[in-house]
């Protein structure tokens, strides 16, 4: 393509050639009127191009000035809002928020208790049963351990609260003699919120060949 695509290069192309074409119109078999018109159009294009470039530079400078002004306004405004809130808290006067027409800070949403999961057990040497589970106590969560006993030859009783744990383990030392099975559920608690709890885990107690107690998942 003879004519460049970029505007600046196209303008330079005709600025260089329009006077030459006008001066040599007869030799180039061009109309003197048309070449003169091209020169005029090229000059108009240059003026419009330069104006557009100037306006772009002005717009860029204006945008930069706008952003600086907005940033300065934001920083000072945020500082004043912080000062208003501090005063309202220190004086315990929430009416200051209404006077300043800014919203009163909301209390952060409470962190719910972290559910227990992966409940497991281990029979200790003294016959107690240690329960362990996954969870998190760093958020103030505690755990409620519930147990349902099935006596030998009987049916399972109802779940009863066995104890509380502020760690992810609990040792049951109160398994009644003659218990055939013990089922456990661990529920998370924080404040007044108590979760549904883990899936029940049932432990069956038997006597091994060596006469020692054995605990296995039922």
């Amino acid at each position: 393509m003879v004519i460049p695509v970029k505007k600046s290069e196209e303008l330079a192309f005709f600025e260089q050639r329009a006077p030459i074409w006008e001066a040599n119109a007869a030799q180039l078999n061009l109309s003197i009127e048309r070449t003169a018109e091209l020169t005029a159009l090229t000059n108009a294009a240059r003026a419009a191009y330069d104006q557009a470039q100037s306006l772009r530079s002005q717009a860029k400078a204006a945008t930069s000035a706008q952003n600086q002004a907005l940033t300065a306004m934001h920083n000072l405004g945020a500082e004043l809002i912080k000062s208003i809130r501090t005063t309202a808290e220190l004086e315990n006067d929430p009416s200051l928020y209404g006077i300043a027409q800014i919203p009163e800070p909301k209390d952060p949403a409470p962190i719910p208790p972290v559910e227990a999961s992966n409940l497991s057990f281990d029979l200790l040497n003294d016959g107690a049963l240690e329960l362990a589970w996954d969870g998190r106590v760093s958020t103030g969560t505690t755990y409620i351990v519930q147990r349902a006993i099935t006596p030998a030859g009987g049916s399972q009783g109802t779940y009863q609260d066995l104890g509380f744990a502020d760690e992810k383990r609990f040792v049951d030392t109160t398994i009644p003699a003659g218990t055939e099975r013990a089922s456990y559920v661990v529920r998370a608690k924080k404040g007044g919120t108590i979760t549904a709890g883990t899936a029940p885990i049932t432990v069956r107690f038997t006597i091994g060949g060596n006469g020692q107690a054995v605990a296995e998942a039922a």
Side-chain angles (χ1 to χ4, degrees), residues 10-31:
E10 181 182 11
L11 182 57
F13 177 88
F14 283 112
E15 282 182 323
Q16 179 182 353
R17 289 163 179 79
I20 295 173
W21 293 357
E22 186 175 0
N24 298 278
Q27 186 177 352
L28 296 172
N29 194 27
L30 299 174
S31 165

Side-chain angles (χ1 to χ4, degrees), residues 83-103:
S83 178
I84 293 169
R85 287 179 170 169
T86 299
T87 302
E89 291 299 317
L90 290 177
E91 297 184 3
N92 193 26
D93 186 1
S95 69
L96 296 180
Y97 296 111
I99 295 173
Q101 297 186 21
I102 60 174

Side-chain angles (χ1 to χ4, degrees), residues 130-195:
E130 182 179 42
L131 301 171
W133 56 88
D134 294 335
R136 186 181 304 165
V137 295
S138 60
T139 60
T141 299
T142 58
Y143 294 96
I144 303 171
V145 180
Q146 296 180 317
R147 182 184 68 186
I149 293 296
T150 303
S155 56
Q156 178 177 300
T158 59
Y159 279 94
Q160 304 290 332
D161 289 350
L162 181 61
F164 291 86
D166 55 7
E167 55 183 338
K168 295 174 289 184
R169 61 185 293 275
F170 181 86
V171 178
D172 183 2
T173 60
T174 62
I175 302 171
T179 295
E180 182 178 294
R181 301 179 185 217
S183 299
Y184 298 89
V185 169
V186 176
R187 304 172 69 186
K189 180 180 185 301
K190 184 177 182 182
T193 302
I194 300 176
T195 65

Side-chain angles (χ1 to χ4, degrees), residues 1-5:
M1 181 177 291
V2 176
I3 301 175
V5 175

